[in-house]
Amino acid sequence: NNSSQVAGPLTADSNGSFATNIDVTEGANAITAAAQNRGGLGIQSTAVLVNLDTTIPDAPIGLAAVAQENGEIRLSWNQVNDDSIVGYDIYRSDTAFTDKAAATKVNSNVIDQTGYTDIPLTDATYYYSVVSVNNLGTVSDLSTQVSVLV
């Protein structure tokens, strides 16, 4: 990894395959392998680049919820200005929450817009928060929560 030996020597199977786990660091990691025998270490393979990005995207801001006719709730929020964001997930509960696990995810697929119409099954007060999702599948913290009565 990045010109430092981090594993091995490893034993290859009859097909010449081998596997191990290694630790990578934040940012770019150039992973190479080389054969070794009693004559020494051979030429290193072409590097496979692994980029570790543990940054958490920003949470959406400006979440608003408005009750509409027929029990619909119109949600809207501001777009997160980050090219890695692929969309948003919406969480709903009938009580205030600070953890996604205490709420129900409303959408089945990531929403690529900054608005959504929800139709809960019954009239009640609902609490909503939104998270942004980046291209690695990393989710942000919850947005500021809003509530609406339908």
Side-chain angles (χ1 to χ4, degrees), residues 22-96:
I22 64 168
D23 292 328
V24 293
T25 58
E26 185 77 21
N29 292 267
I31 312 297
T32 59
Q36 181 179 6
N37 61 20
R38 67 178 179 268
L41 195 62
I43 298 172
Q44 289 191 1
S45 67
T46 302
V48 173
L49 297 177
V50 175
N51 189 23
L52 177 61
D53 180 358
T54 59
T55 58
I56 297 174
D58 291 336
I61 59 172
L63 177 60
V66 178
Q68 305 283 309
E69 292 181 6
N70 301 318
E72 294 181 354
I73 299 172
R74 182 67 188 152
L75 300 163
S76 61
W77 56 91
N78 296 330
Q79 179 177 341
V80 174
N81 291 322
D82 179 339
D83 292 339
S84 73
I85 299 299
V86 296
Y88 306 91
D89 287 331
I90 301 170
Y91 290 87
R92 174 187 67 214
S93 179
D94 57 2
T95 59

Short mmCIF file of all heavy atoms in Angstrom, two decimals, residues 22-96:
data_model
loop_
_atom_site.label_atom_id
_atom_site.label_comp_id
_atom_site.label_asym_id
_atom_site.label_seq_id
_atom_site.Cartn_x
_atom_site.Cartn_y
_atom_site.Cartn_z
N ILE A 22 -6.25 -5.76 4.29
CA ILE A 22 -5.26 -4.77 4.69
C ILE A 22 -5.99 -3.51 5.13
O ILE A 22 -7.14 -3.27 4.74
CB ILE A 22 -4.26 -4.43 3.55
CG1 ILE A 22 -4.98 -3.78 2.36
CG2 ILE A 22 -3.48 -5.65 3.13
CD1 ILE A 22 -4.03 -3.16 1.35
N ASP A 23 -5.34 -2.71 5.94
CA ASP A 23 -5.87 -1.42 6.34
C ASP A 23 -5.49 -0.40 5.29
O ASP A 23 -4.36 -0.41 4.77
CB ASP A 23 -5.31 -0.99 7.70
CG ASP A 23 -5.81 -1.88 8.84
OD1 ASP A 23 -6.96 -2.36 8.75
OD2 ASP A 23 -5.06 -2.05 9.81
N VAL A 24 -6.42 0.47 4.95
CA VAL A 24 -6.13 1.57 4.05
C VAL A 24 -6.31 2.87 4.82
O VAL A 24 -6.96 2.92 5.85
CB VAL A 24 -7.02 1.55 2.79
CG1 VAL A 24 -6.71 0.34 1.92
CG2 VAL A 24 -8.49 1.56 3.15
N THR A 25 -5.71 3.93 4.30
CA THR A 25 -5.78 5.22 4.95
C THR A 25 -6.71 6.15 4.18
O THR A 25 -7.03 5.90 3.01
CB THR A 25 -4.38 5.86 5.04
OG1 THR A 25 -3.85 5.99 3.72
CG2 THR A 25 -3.44 5.02 5.88
N GLU A 26 -7.14 7.19 4.82
CA GLU A 26 -7.99 8.19 4.17
C GLU A 26 -7.29 8.73 2.93
O GLU A 26 -6.09 8.99 2.95
CB GLU A 26 -8.27 9.35 5.15
CG GLU A 26 -9.22 10.39 4.63
CD GLU A 26 -10.68 9.94 4.68
OE1 GLU A 26 -11.03 9.03 5.44
OE2 GLU A 26 -11.47 10.53 3.94
N GLY A 27 -8.02 8.84 1.84
CA GLY A 27 -7.46 9.34 0.59
C GLY A 27 -7.04 8.20 -0.32
O GLY A 27 -7.54 7.09 -0.24
N ALA A 28 -6.08 8.48 -1.20
CA ALA A 28 -5.65 7.53 -2.22
C ALA A 28 -4.73 6.46 -1.64
O ALA A 28 -3.83 6.76 -0.86
CB ALA A 28 -4.93 8.26 -3.35
N ASN A 29 -4.99 5.21 -2.03
CA ASN A 29 -4.16 4.07 -1.64
C ASN A 29 -3.83 3.31 -2.92
O ASN A 29 -4.73 2.83 -3.61
CB ASN A 29 -4.92 3.16 -0.68
CG ASN A 29 -5.17 3.80 0.66
OD1 ASN A 29 -4.40 3.64 1.58
ND2 ASN A 29 -6.27 4.54 0.77
N ALA A 30 -2.55 3.21 -3.24
CA ALA A 30 -2.10 2.48 -4.43
C ALA A 30 -1.67 1.08 -3.97
O ALA A 30 -0.63 0.92 -3.33
CB ALA A 30 -0.95 3.21 -5.10
N ILE A 31 -2.49 0.08 -4.30
CA ILE A 31 -2.25 -1.29 -3.84
C ILE A 31 -1.56 -2.08 -4.96
O ILE A 31 -2.05 -2.13 -6.08
CB ILE A 31 -3.58 -1.99 -3.48
CG1 ILE A 31 -4.46 -1.12 -2.58
CG2 ILE A 31 -3.31 -3.37 -2.88
CD1 ILE A 31 -3.88 -0.80 -1.24
N THR A 32 -0.41 -2.67 -4.62
CA THR A 32 0.32 -3.50 -5.58
C THR A 32 0.63 -4.85 -4.93
O THR A 32 0.54 -4.99 -3.72
CB THR A 32 1.65 -2.85 -6.02
OG1 THR A 32 2.45 -2.62 -4.86
CG2 THR A 32 1.40 -1.53 -6.74
N ALA A 33 1.01 -5.80 -5.75
CA ALA A 33 1.42 -7.13 -5.28
C ALA A 33 2.65 -7.55 -6.07
O ALA A 33 2.88 -7.09 -7.19
CB ALA A 33 0.30 -8.14 -5.46
N ALA A 34 3.44 -8.42 -5.47
CA ALA A 34 4.62 -8.95 -6.16
C ALA A 34 4.83 -10.39 -5.70
O ALA A 34 4.57 -10.74 -4.55
CB ALA A 34 5.85 -8.12 -5.83
N ALA A 35 5.27 -11.24 -6.61
CA ALA A 35 5.59 -12.61 -6.28
C ALA A 35 6.93 -12.65 -5.54
O ALA A 35 7.80 -11.81 -5.76
CB ALA A 35 5.68 -13.46 -7.54
N GLN A 36 7.07 -13.63 -4.66
CA GLN A 36 8.31 -13.79 -3.91
C GLN A 36 8.65 -15.27 -3.83
O GLN A 36 7.78 -16.11 -3.62
CB GLN A 36 8.13 -13.22 -2.49
CG GLN A 36 9.38 -13.32 -1.64
CD GLN A 36 9.17 -12.71 -0.25
OE1 GLN A 36 8.07 -12.32 0.11
NE2 GLN A 36 10.23 -12.63 0.51
N ASN A 37 9.93 -15.57 -4.06
CA ASN A 37 10.41 -16.93 -3.87
C ASN A 37 11.80 -16.85 -3.26
O ASN A 37 12.23 -15.78 -2.83
CB ASN A 37 10.40 -17.72 -5.20
CG ASN A 37 11.29 -17.12 -6.26
OD1 ASN A 37 12.21 -16.36 -5.94
ND2 ASN A 37 11.03 -17.46 -7.51
N ARG A 38 12.52 -17.99 -3.25
CA ARG A 38 13.84 -17.98 -2.60
C ARG A 38 14.82 -17.04 -3.28
O ARG A 38 15.81 -16.64 -2.70
CB ARG A 38 14.40 -19.40 -2.52
CG ARG A 38 14.74 -20.01 -3.83
CD ARG A 38 15.33 -21.42 -3.61
NE ARG A 38 15.65 -22.02 -4.88
CZ ARG A 38 14.82 -22.79 -5.57
NH1 ARG A 38 13.62 -23.07 -5.09
NH2 ARG A 38 15.18 -23.30 -6.72
N GLY A 39 14.51 -16.65 -4.52
CA GLY A 39 15.38 -15.71 -5.23
C GLY A 39 15.08 -14.25 -4.90
O GLY A 39 15.81 -13.36 -5.32
N GLY A 40 14.01 -13.99 -4.13
CA GLY A 40 13.69 -12.63 -3.72
C GLY A 40 12.33 -12.17 -4.23
O GLY A 40 11.50 -12.96 -4.70
N LEU A 41 12.14 -10.90 -4.20
CA LEU A 41 10.87 -10.27 -4.57
C LEU A 41 10.87 -9.92 -6.05
O LEU A 41 11.83 -9.36 -6.57
CB LEU A 41 10.69 -8.99 -3.73
CG LEU A 41 9.32 -8.36 -3.67
CD1 LEU A 41 8.31 -9.32 -3.05
CD2 LEU A 41 9.37 -7.09 -2.83
N GLY A 42 9.77 -10.25 -6.73
CA GLY A 42 9.65 -9.97 -8.15
C GLY A 42 9.16 -8.54 -8.41
O GLY A 42 9.06 -7.72 -7.50
N ILE A 43 8.83 -8.28 -9.66
CA ILE A 43 8.35 -6.97 -10.08
C ILE A 43 6.94 -6.75 -9.52
O ILE A 43 6.11 -7.65 -9.55
CB ILE A 43 8.33 -6.86 -11.61
CG1 ILE A 43 9.75 -7.01 -12.15
CG2 ILE A 43 7.72 -5.55 -12.07
CD1 ILE A 43 9.81 -7.12 -13.66
N GLN A 44 6.68 -5.54 -9.07
CA GLN A 44 5.36 -5.21 -8.52
C GLN A 44 4.33 -5.08 -9.65
O GLN A 44 4.65 -4.64 -10.75
CB GLN A 44 5.41 -3.91 -7.72
CG GLN A 44 6.15 -4.08 -6.41
CD GLN A 44 5.98 -2.87 -5.49
OE1 GLN A 44 5.30 -1.92 -5.81
NE2 GLN A 44 6.62 -2.95 -4.35
N SER A 45 3.11 -5.47 -9.35
CA SER A 45 2.01 -5.36 -10.30
C SER A 45 1.65 -3.90 -10.53
O SER A 45 2.09 -3.02 -9.80
CB SER A 45 0.78 -6.10 -9.76
OG SER A 45 0.29 -5.42 -8.61
N THR A 46 0.84 -3.68 -11.54
CA THR A 46 0.28 -2.35 -11.75
C THR A 46 -0.60 -2.03 -10.55
O THR A 46 -1.33 -2.89 -10.05
CB THR A 46 -0.57 -2.32 -13.04
OG1 THR A 46 0.27 -2.70 -14.13
CG2 THR A 46 -1.18 -0.97 -13.28
N ALA A 47 -0.56 -0.81 -10.07
CA ALA A 47 -1.31 -0.41 -8.88
C ALA A 47 -2.81 -0.39 -9.15
O ALA A 47 -3.27 0.01 -10.21
CB ALA A 47 -0.84 0.95 -8.41
N VAL A 48 -3.55 -0.84 -8.15
CA VAL A 48 -5.00 -0.67 -8.11
C VAL A 48 -5.24 0.46 -7.13
O VAL A 48 -4.79 0.42 -5.99
CB VAL A 48 -5.71 -1.95 -7.63
CG1 VAL A 48 -7.20 -1.71 -7.43
CG2 VAL A 48 -5.46 -3.09 -8.59
N LEU A 49 -5.92 1.51 -7.59
CA LEU A 49 -6.15 2.67 -6.73
C LEU A 49 -7.44 2.50 -5.94
O LEU A 49 -8.50 2.25 -6.51
CB LEU A 49 -6.18 3.95 -7.55
CG LEU A 49 -4.88 4.29 -8.27
CD1 LEU A 49 -5.04 5.54 -9.11
CD2 LEU A 49 -3.74 4.47 -7.26
N VAL A 50 -7.34 2.63 -4.64
CA VAL A 50 -8.49 2.57 -3.74
C VAL A 50 -8.53 3.90 -3.01
O VAL A 50 -7.57 4.28 -2.33
CB VAL A 50 -8.35 1.41 -2.73
CG1 VAL A 50 -9.49 1.42 -1.73
CG2 VAL A 50 -8.27 0.09 -3.46
N ASN A 51 -9.65 4.62 -3.14
CA ASN A 51 -9.79 5.91 -2.49
C ASN A 51 -10.75 5.78 -1.32
O ASN A 51 -11.93 5.48 -1.51
CB ASN A 51 -10.30 6.96 -3.48
CG ASN A 51 -10.27 8.36 -2.91
OD1 ASN A 51 -9.51 8.64 -1.99
ND2 ASN A 51 -11.08 9.23 -3.45
N LEU A 52 -10.26 5.97 -0.10
CA LEU A 52 -11.09 5.92 1.09
C LEU A 52 -11.55 7.33 1.42
O LEU A 52 -10.74 8.22 1.66
CB LEU A 52 -10.32 5.33 2.27
CG LEU A 52 -11.07 5.29 3.60
CD1 LEU A 52 -12.33 4.44 3.49
CD2 LEU A 52 -10.16 4.78 4.71
N ASP A 53 -12.87 7.51 1.42
CA ASP A 53 -13.46 8.82 1.71
C ASP A 53 -14.48 8.63 2.81
O ASP A 53 -15.57 8.09 2.59
CB ASP A 53 -14.13 9.39 0.46
CG ASP A 53 -14.76 10.75 0.67
OD1 ASP A 53 -14.72 11.27 1.81
OD2 ASP A 53 -15.31 11.29 -0.29
N THR A 54 -14.14 9.05 4.02
CA THR A 54 -15.04 8.86 5.16
C THR A 54 -15.79 10.14 5.52
O THR A 54 -16.39 10.21 6.59
CB THR A 54 -14.27 8.35 6.39
OG1 THR A 54 -13.25 9.30 6.72
CG2 THR A 54 -13.66 6.98 6.13
N THR A 55 -15.74 11.14 4.65
CA THR A 55 -16.46 12.38 4.96
C THR A 55 -17.96 12.14 4.92
O THR A 55 -18.46 11.33 4.13
CB THR A 55 -16.08 13.51 3.98
OG1 THR A 55 -16.37 13.08 2.65
CG2 THR A 55 -14.62 13.89 4.09
N ILE A 56 -18.64 12.83 5.77
CA ILE A 56 -20.10 12.74 5.84
C ILE A 56 -20.68 13.96 5.14
O ILE A 56 -20.27 15.09 5.41
CB ILE A 56 -20.57 12.68 7.30
CG1 ILE A 56 -20.02 11.42 7.96
CG2 ILE A 56 -22.09 12.73 7.40
CD1 ILE A 56 -20.29 11.33 9.45
N PRO A 57 -21.64 13.75 4.22
CA PRO A 57 -22.20 14.89 3.51
C PRO A 57 -22.98 15.82 4.44
O PRO A 57 -23.41 15.41 5.53
CB PRO A 57 -23.12 14.26 2.46
CG PRO A 57 -23.33 12.86 2.88
CD PRO A 57 -22.21 12.48 3.80
N ASP A 58 -23.18 17.04 3.99
CA ASP A 58 -23.98 18.00 4.75
C ASP A 58 -25.43 17.58 4.75
O ASP A 58 -25.95 17.03 3.77
CB ASP A 58 -23.88 19.40 4.14
CG ASP A 58 -22.50 20.01 4.32
OD1 ASP A 58 -21.78 19.62 5.26
OD2 ASP A 58 -22.14 20.90 3.52
N ALA A 59 -26.11 17.87 5.85
CA ALA A 59 -27.55 17.61 5.94
C ALA A 59 -28.30 18.69 5.15
O ALA A 59 -27.85 19.84 5.08
CB ALA A 59 -28.00 17.64 7.39
N PRO A 60 -29.41 18.34 4.56
CA PRO A 60 -30.22 19.35 3.86
C PRO A 60 -30.71 20.41 4.86
O PRO A 60 -30.91 20.12 6.05
CB PRO A 60 -31.40 18.54 3.31
CG PRO A 60 -30.93 17.13 3.27
CD PRO A 60 -29.97 17.00 4.42
N ILE A 61 -30.90 21.61 4.38
CA ILE A 61 -31.46 22.68 5.21
C ILE A 61 -32.73 23.20 4.55
O ILE A 61 -33.00 22.93 3.38
CB ILE A 61 -30.45 23.83 5.44
CG1 ILE A 61 -30.02 24.45 4.11
CG2 ILE A 61 -29.25 23.36 6.23
CD1 ILE A 61 -29.18 25.70 4.27
N GLY A 62 -33.50 23.95 5.32
CA GLY A 62 -34.70 24.58 4.77
C GLY A 62 -35.88 23.64 4.61
O GLY A 62 -36.78 23.91 3.81
N LEU A 63 -35.92 22.53 5.36
CA LEU A 63 -37.03 21.59 5.23
C LEU A 63 -38.33 22.28 5.65
O LEU A 63 -38.40 22.93 6.69
CB LEU A 63 -36.78 20.36 6.09
CG LEU A 63 -37.90 19.30 6.12
CD1 LEU A 63 -38.16 18.75 4.71
CD2 LEU A 63 -37.53 18.18 7.09
N ALA A 64 -39.35 22.12 4.82
CA ALA A 64 -40.69 22.66 5.11
C ALA A 64 -41.72 21.59 4.78
O ALA A 64 -41.52 20.78 3.87
CB ALA A 64 -40.94 23.91 4.28
N ALA A 65 -42.80 21.57 5.53
CA ALA A 65 -43.89 20.63 5.31
C ALA A 65 -45.21 21.40 5.33
O ALA A 65 -45.45 22.18 6.24
CB ALA A 65 -43.90 19.54 6.38
N VAL A 66 -46.04 21.16 4.32
CA VAL A 66 -47.33 21.85 4.22
C VAL A 66 -48.41 20.81 3.97
O VAL A 66 -48.30 19.99 3.05
CB VAL A 66 -47.30 22.88 3.06
CG1 VAL A 66 -48.66 23.56 2.92
CG2 VAL A 66 -46.20 23.90 3.27
N ALA A 67 -49.47 20.85 4.82
CA ALA A 67 -50.60 19.94 4.62
C ALA A 67 -51.39 20.39 3.39
O ALA A 67 -51.60 21.59 3.17
CB ALA A 67 -51.50 19.97 5.85
N GLN A 68 -51.78 19.42 2.58
CA GLN A 68 -52.54 19.67 1.35
C GLN A 68 -53.89 18.96 1.45
O GLN A 68 -54.17 18.25 2.41
CB GLN A 68 -51.76 19.12 0.14
CG GLN A 68 -50.34 19.64 0.01
CD GLN A 68 -50.29 21.03 -0.55
OE1 GLN A 68 -50.88 21.32 -1.56
NE2 GLN A 68 -49.59 21.91 0.15
N GLU A 69 -54.70 19.13 0.43
CA GLU A 69 -55.98 18.43 0.37
C GLU A 69 -55.75 16.92 0.28
O GLU A 69 -54.69 16.47 -0.14
CB GLU A 69 -56.77 18.89 -0.86
CG GLU A 69 -57.24 20.32 -0.79
CD GLU A 69 -58.03 20.72 -2.02
OE1 GLU A 69 -58.32 19.86 -2.88
OE2 GLU A 69 -58.36 21.91 -2.13
N ASN A 70 -56.78 16.18 0.66
CA ASN A 70 -56.78 14.72 0.56
C ASN A 70 -55.71 14.04 1.41
O ASN A 70 -55.23 12.96 1.06
CB ASN A 70 -56.68 14.26 -0.89
CG ASN A 70 -57.82 14.79 -1.74
OD1 ASN A 70 -58.96 14.79 -1.29
ND2 ASN A 70 -57.50 15.25 -2.94
N GLY A 71 -55.28 14.69 2.50
CA GLY A 71 -54.31 14.08 3.40
C GLY A 71 -52.88 14.07 2.92
O GLY A 71 -52.03 13.41 3.49
N GLU A 72 -52.59 14.81 1.84
CA GLU A 72 -51.22 14.86 1.32
C GLU A 72 -50.39 15.86 2.13
O GLU A 72 -50.89 16.85 2.62
CB GLU A 72 -51.22 15.29 -0.14
CG GLU A 72 -51.86 14.30 -1.07
CD GLU A 72 -51.83 14.72 -2.53
OE1 GLU A 72 -51.40 15.87 -2.82
OE2 GLU A 72 -52.22 13.91 -3.36
N ILE A 73 -49.11 15.56 2.22
CA ILE A 73 -48.15 16.47 2.86
C ILE A 73 -47.07 16.76 1.83
O ILE A 73 -46.41 15.85 1.32
CB ILE A 73 -47.53 15.84 4.12
CG1 ILE A 73 -48.63 15.56 5.14
CG2 ILE A 73 -46.46 16.77 4.69
CD1 ILE A 73 -48.16 14.78 6.34
N ARG A 74 -46.90 18.03 1.52
CA ARG A 74 -45.88 18.45 0.55
C ARG A 74 -44.63 18.87 1.31
O ARG A 74 -44.67 19.78 2.13
CB ARG A 74 -46.40 19.59 -0.32
CG ARG A 74 -45.42 20.05 -1.37
CD ARG A 74 -45.21 18.98 -2.42
NE ARG A 74 -44.13 19.40 -3.31
CZ ARG A 74 -43.35 18.57 -3.96
NH1 ARG A 74 -43.53 17.27 -3.87
NH2 ARG A 74 -42.40 19.02 -4.73
N LEU A 75 -43.54 18.16 1.05
CA LEU A 75 -42.24 18.44 1.67
C LEU A 75 -41.32 19.09 0.66
O LEU A 75 -41.33 18.72 -0.52
CB LEU A 75 -41.59 17.14 2.17
CG LEU A 75 -42.40 16.36 3.21
CD1 LEU A 75 -41.89 14.93 3.29
CD2 LEU A 75 -42.32 17.04 4.54
N SER A 76 -40.53 20.04 1.12
CA SER A 76 -39.53 20.66 0.24
C SER A 76 -38.33 21.06 1.10
O SER A 76 -38.45 21.26 2.31
CB SER A 76 -40.10 21.89 -0.48
OG SER A 76 -40.49 22.87 0.46
N TRP A 77 -37.16 21.13 0.46
CA TRP A 77 -35.92 21.49 1.15
C TRP A 77 -34.95 22.05 0.13
O TRP A 77 -35.17 21.96 -1.07
CB TRP A 77 -35.31 20.29 1.87
CG TRP A 77 -35.05 19.12 0.99
CD1 TRP A 77 -33.91 18.83 0.31
CD2 TRP A 77 -35.98 18.07 0.64
NE1 TRP A 77 -34.05 17.67 -0.43
CE2 TRP A 77 -35.32 17.18 -0.25
CE3 TRP A 77 -37.30 17.79 0.99
CZ2 TRP A 77 -35.94 16.06 -0.77
CZ3 TRP A 77 -37.90 16.66 0.46
CH2 TRP A 77 -37.22 15.81 -0.40
N ASN A 78 -33.87 22.64 0.63
CA ASN A 78 -32.85 23.21 -0.25
C ASN A 78 -31.87 22.13 -0.70
O ASN A 78 -31.52 21.24 0.07
CB ASN A 78 -32.06 24.32 0.46
CG ASN A 78 -32.94 25.49 0.83
OD1 ASN A 78 -33.92 25.78 0.17
ND2 ASN A 78 -32.60 26.15 1.92
N GLN A 79 -31.43 22.24 -1.92
CA GLN A 79 -30.45 21.31 -2.47
C GLN A 79 -29.12 21.46 -1.74
O GLN A 79 -28.69 22.58 -1.44
CB GLN A 79 -30.25 21.59 -3.96
CG GLN A 79 -29.23 20.70 -4.62
CD GLN A 79 -29.11 20.98 -6.11
OE1 GLN A 79 -29.99 21.58 -6.71
NE2 GLN A 79 -28.03 20.54 -6.70
N VAL A 80 -28.48 20.34 -1.44
CA VAL A 80 -27.13 20.37 -0.85
C VAL A 80 -26.15 20.60 -1.99
O VAL A 80 -26.15 19.86 -2.97
CB VAL A 80 -26.82 19.06 -0.10
CG1 VAL A 80 -25.38 19.05 0.38
CG2 VAL A 80 -27.78 18.87 1.06
N ASN A 81 -25.34 21.63 -1.87
CA ASN A 81 -24.39 21.98 -2.93
C ASN A 81 -23.11 21.16 -2.79
O ASN A 81 -22.13 21.60 -2.20
CB ASN A 81 -24.08 23.47 -2.91
CG ASN A 81 -25.28 24.29 -3.33
OD1 ASN A 81 -26.03 23.89 -4.22
ND2 ASN A 81 -25.49 25.41 -2.69
N ASP A 82 -23.17 19.96 -3.30
CA ASP A 82 -22.04 19.02 -3.24
C ASP A 82 -22.22 18.08 -4.43
O ASP A 82 -23.24 17.39 -4.53
CB ASP A 82 -22.07 18.26 -1.92
CG ASP A 82 -20.95 17.24 -1.77
OD1 ASP A 82 -20.38 16.80 -2.79
OD2 ASP A 82 -20.66 16.87 -0.62
N ASP A 83 -21.26 18.05 -5.34
CA ASP A 83 -21.36 17.23 -6.55
C ASP A 83 -21.48 15.74 -6.27
O ASP A 83 -21.90 14.97 -7.13
CB ASP A 83 -20.17 17.47 -7.47
CG ASP A 83 -20.17 18.86 -8.08
OD1 ASP A 83 -21.26 19.48 -8.12
OD2 ASP A 83 -19.11 19.32 -8.51
N SER A 84 -21.10 15.31 -5.05
CA SER A 84 -21.17 13.88 -4.74
C SER A 84 -22.57 13.44 -4.29
O SER A 84 -22.83 12.25 -4.18
CB SER A 84 -20.14 13.52 -3.67
OG SER A 84 -20.54 14.01 -2.40
N ILE A 85 -23.47 14.39 -4.05
CA ILE A 85 -24.82 14.04 -3.58
C ILE A 85 -25.63 13.47 -4.73
O ILE A 85 -25.75 14.09 -5.78
CB ILE A 85 -25.54 15.26 -2.97
CG1 ILE A 85 -24.77 15.81 -1.77
CG2 ILE A 85 -26.98 14.92 -2.59
CD1 ILE A 85 -24.60 14.84 -0.63
N VAL A 86 -26.19 12.27 -4.51
CA VAL A 86 -27.02 11.63 -5.53
C VAL A 86 -28.51 11.74 -5.20
O VAL A 86 -29.34 11.45 -6.06
CB VAL A 86 -26.63 10.16 -5.76
CG1 VAL A 86 -25.21 10.06 -6.31
CG2 VAL A 86 -26.78 9.34 -4.49
N GLY A 87 -28.84 12.11 -3.97
CA GLY A 87 -30.24 12.25 -3.63
C GLY A 87 -30.47 12.35 -2.14
O GLY A 87 -29.55 12.62 -1.36
N TYR A 88 -31.73 12.08 -1.76
CA TYR A 88 -32.17 12.31 -0.39
C TYR A 88 -33.09 11.18 0.05
O TYR A 88 -33.77 10.55 -0.76
CB TYR A 88 -32.94 13.64 -0.31
CG TYR A 88 -32.14 14.80 -0.87
CD1 TYR A 88 -32.25 15.16 -2.22
CD2 TYR A 88 -31.26 15.50 -0.08
CE1 TYR A 88 -31.50 16.20 -2.74
CE2 TYR A 88 -30.51 16.54 -0.59
CZ TYR A 88 -30.63 16.88 -1.92
OH TYR A 88 -29.88 17.91 -2.43
N ASP A 89 -33.11 10.93 1.37
CA ASP A 89 -34.04 10.01 1.99
C ASP A 89 -34.86 10.79 3.01
O ASP A 89 -34.33 11.68 3.70
CB ASP A 89 -33.32 8.86 2.70
CG ASP A 89 -32.72 7.84 1.75
OD1 ASP A 89 -33.26 7.68 0.63
OD2 ASP A 89 -31.72 7.20 2.12
N ILE A 90 -36.14 10.44 3.13
CA ILE A 90 -37.07 11.12 4.03
C ILE A 90 -37.48 10.17 5.15
O ILE A 90 -37.80 9.00 4.89
CB ILE A 90 -38.32 11.59 3.27
CG1 ILE A 90 -37.92 12.53 2.14
CG2 ILE A 90 -39.32 12.24 4.22
CD1 ILE A 90 -39.06 12.84 1.19
N TYR A 91 -37.49 10.69 6.37
CA TYR A 91 -37.90 9.91 7.53
C TYR A 91 -39.10 10.58 8.19
O TYR A 91 -39.15 11.79 8.32
CB TYR A 91 -36.74 9.77 8.53
CG TYR A 91 -35.66 8.87 7.98
CD1 TYR A 91 -34.64 9.38 7.17
CD2 TYR A 91 -35.69 7.51 8.23
CE1 TYR A 91 -33.68 8.54 6.64
CE2 TYR A 91 -34.72 6.66 7.69
CZ TYR A 91 -33.72 7.20 6.91
OH TYR A 91 -32.77 6.37 6.37
N ARG A 92 -40.06 9.73 8.63
CA ARG A 92 -41.31 10.22 9.21
C ARG A 92 -41.61 9.43 10.49
O ARG A 92 -41.35 8.23 10.57
CB ARG A 92 -42.46 10.01 8.23
CG ARG A 92 -43.83 10.35 8.80
CD ARG A 92 -44.96 9.98 7.85
NE ARG A 92 -45.04 8.53 7.72
CZ ARG A 92 -45.39 7.91 6.60
NH1 ARG A 92 -45.69 8.57 5.50
NH2 ARG A 92 -45.45 6.60 6.56
N SER A 93 -42.21 10.13 11.45
CA SER A 93 -42.68 9.48 12.67
C SER A 93 -43.89 10.24 13.19
O SER A 93 -44.09 11.40 12.84
CB SER A 93 -41.58 9.46 13.73
OG SER A 93 -42.04 8.83 14.92
N ASP A 94 -44.67 9.58 14.05
CA ASP A 94 -45.78 10.29 14.69
C ASP A 94 -45.37 10.88 16.03
O ASP A 94 -46.18 11.44 16.75
CB ASP A 94 -47.00 9.37 14.84
CG ASP A 94 -46.71 8.11 15.61
OD1 ASP A 94 -45.58 7.92 16.09
OD2 ASP A 94 -47.64 7.30 15.75
N THR A 95 -44.07 10.77 16.36
CA THR A 95 -43.48 11.45 17.52
C THR A 95 -42.16 12.07 17.09
O THR A 95 -41.53 11.62 16.13
CB THR A 95 -43.22 10.46 18.69
OG1 THR A 95 -42.33 9.44 18.23
CG2 THR A 95 -44.51 9.83 19.19
N ALA A 96 -41.73 13.08 17.81
CA ALA A 96 -40.44 13.72 17.50
C ALA A 96 -39.33 12.68 17.65
O ALA A 96 -39.40 11.79 18.50
CB ALA A 96 -40.21 14.91 18.43
#
